[in-house]
Amino acid sequence: MTDPIHFGWFVGQGFGVQGWRKDSYPWGYKWYQPAIWEQAGRVLEQAGFDFLLLKDGPTVHASERTAKVGLASAEAGPRHETQFLVPYLLNATERLGIVTTINSSHYDPFIAARNISTLYHFDGPRVGINVVTSGGGVPIRDSNFQAPSAPLGPESTYERADEWITIVKRLWESWDRDAVVEDDVSRVYARWEGIHPIDFHGKHFDVPGPTSALPFQDEGPIIAAPSNSSRGLRFVAEHADVQFGYSTDAETITWIRDQLDAGAHAAHRDPSKIRSFANISPKVVGSKAEKEEYLRWRRSDESLDRNLPLLSVILDHDLTTLDYDAPIPNDLLERWTSNPVSAGVVHAFLATIDDPATTPLREIGARSTHGQSGDIVGTAEEIADYIEEIASSGTGGIIFDFNVDPESLYGTLVPLVPVLRRRGLLRTDYVSNSLRENLAGF
Ligand SMILES: Cc1cc2nc3c(=O)[nH]c(=O)nc-3n(C[C@H](O)[C@H](O)[C@H](O)COP(=O)(O)O)c2cc1C
């Protein structure tokens, strides 16, 4: 029996259209109403997952180059506010962690601290936040917000994020835990001496505080952050409890762990409290023949037309307009590798290709997964082997990177959960209703 590892579910579409372009879309579920989300929450809790993590991008995630493919595929939007979904998910579940995404490049830290504190006081220790940074410096996204006038490079983006999360945490601590006395005799609800301004003055923000929200009676929300870069991993090591990304090879997983450990020590934090996760999108098939059939389909124009729009939006170029049987134009490869926002994604996208400059797009597209099924195609037993292999490289957990449409949810969990449980990889029960305690449980 193998040791258990942690599991999460990352909804790549966020609170947006679920399962568009899938054969199962005519199920007719309304993505903009709570029912399908409540159902997904219950299923993930029954499966013993640690958390459901909702991606977010508050703007129509497209440029002039990708607006057409981005909206046709619903990859660029519409997308609703994930924070509003959290109370429904908390109501529908009891133990599952619910992690909502907030972008430090766009959201005001004072508002973010108050919103998350409000959600945390609904059902306490199950709420977490995922702090993301993309968009910093992409005009079409930033101009909607009173974001910084000049585009931010990778270092300033994280510098701004450092200030942002520091402000949020200090606001959460700006009320003493015993500031609220509710003294009926003296008719005092809260002691003014127990509430403190934070007087934060930085390069990017000036925030006097305090917050108007109640203090936490525990360590407060789990903080997650996705990153594949050394600067991003330093951000995680200094401020977060969970790191995740698309790296599944042993060498990169070890490098990530070393970065987190070194960064945590430098920040006087206990590195063993930081969990790192690898995002995968396995395709479960019933047989070798079904696998070969699926891999053949992945090279088809139909599959590429369906699956390249997401990458097109992230990489800011409509890949469906390119010749699938020719290599990706060099100027495009150069633009991608020099652009910070997509560095991590490009690394994962091209990592499986020997020579991207000569490999036809069809080959690259057929292997790329990024939010769609396919980085590992196999029977449930074969995928469990793959998960054990990743776990043995030192990652603390696996995040299934899918939307919550029925095909993704049931198509993945129904065959896999029994195998993962039989092997002892997936918990059979929770130690508590605290996401932090469940993540610390093993
Ligand atoms: C697995 C993963 C999930 C991400 N999710 C989001 C998201 O929900 N919203 C967003 O704006 N950016 C998202 N990002 C972008 C990151 O916040 C960050 O901007 C990007 O990865 C570049 O930073 P890096 O070079 O440190 O990886 C995600 C990145 C990764 C790797």
Side-chain angles (χ1 to χ4, degrees), residues 10 55-56 101 103 132-134 158 226-229 232 244 246 341:
F10 174 73
K55 162 197 174 125
D56 192 31
T101 290
N103 195 310
V132 296
T133 57
S134 72
Y158 275 114
S227 177
N228 298 277
S229 71
F244 63 104
Y246 290 105
V341 172

Side-chain angles (χ1 to χ4, degrees), residues 296-315:
R296 248 192 315 281
W297 177 76
R298 285 295 305 257
R299 281 172 174 67
S300 68
D301 285 9
E302 186 204 7
S303 161
L304 295 170
D305 291 346
R306 260 196 208 190
N307 292 321
L308 285 178
L310 173 58
L311 275 166
S312 299
V313 163
I314 291 173
L315 298 173

Side-chain angles (χ1 to χ4, degrees), residues 10-12 14 53-58 61 79 101-106 130-136 141 154 157-158 225-236 243-247 277-279 314 339-345 348 370 399 401:
F10 174 73
V11 184
L53 198 161
L54 299 157
K55 162 197 174 125
D56 192 31
H61 194 127
R79 203 174 274 126
T101 290
I102 298 193
N103 195 310
S104 62
S105 300
H106 298 149
N130 174 37
V131 180
V132 296
T133 57
S134 72
R141 294 186 205 142
T157 296
Y158 275 114
S227 177
N228 298 277
S229 71
S230 50
R231 181 60 184 89
L233 294 170
R234 198 174 90 218
F235 174 81
V236 176
Q243 174 271 341
F244 63 104
Y246 290 105
S247 305
F277 286 75
N279 282 46
I314 291 173
N339 174 339
V341 172
S342 52
V345 175
H370 202 62
I399 290 181
D401 193 316

Side-chain angles (χ1 to χ4, degrees), residues 165-175 198-200:
I165 193 66
T166 303
I167 293 164
V168 167
K169 286 183 172 181
R170 287 203 192 147
L171 286 169
W172 284 340
E173 290 148 9
S174 62
W175 288 50
I198 68 166
D199 292 328
F200 184 95

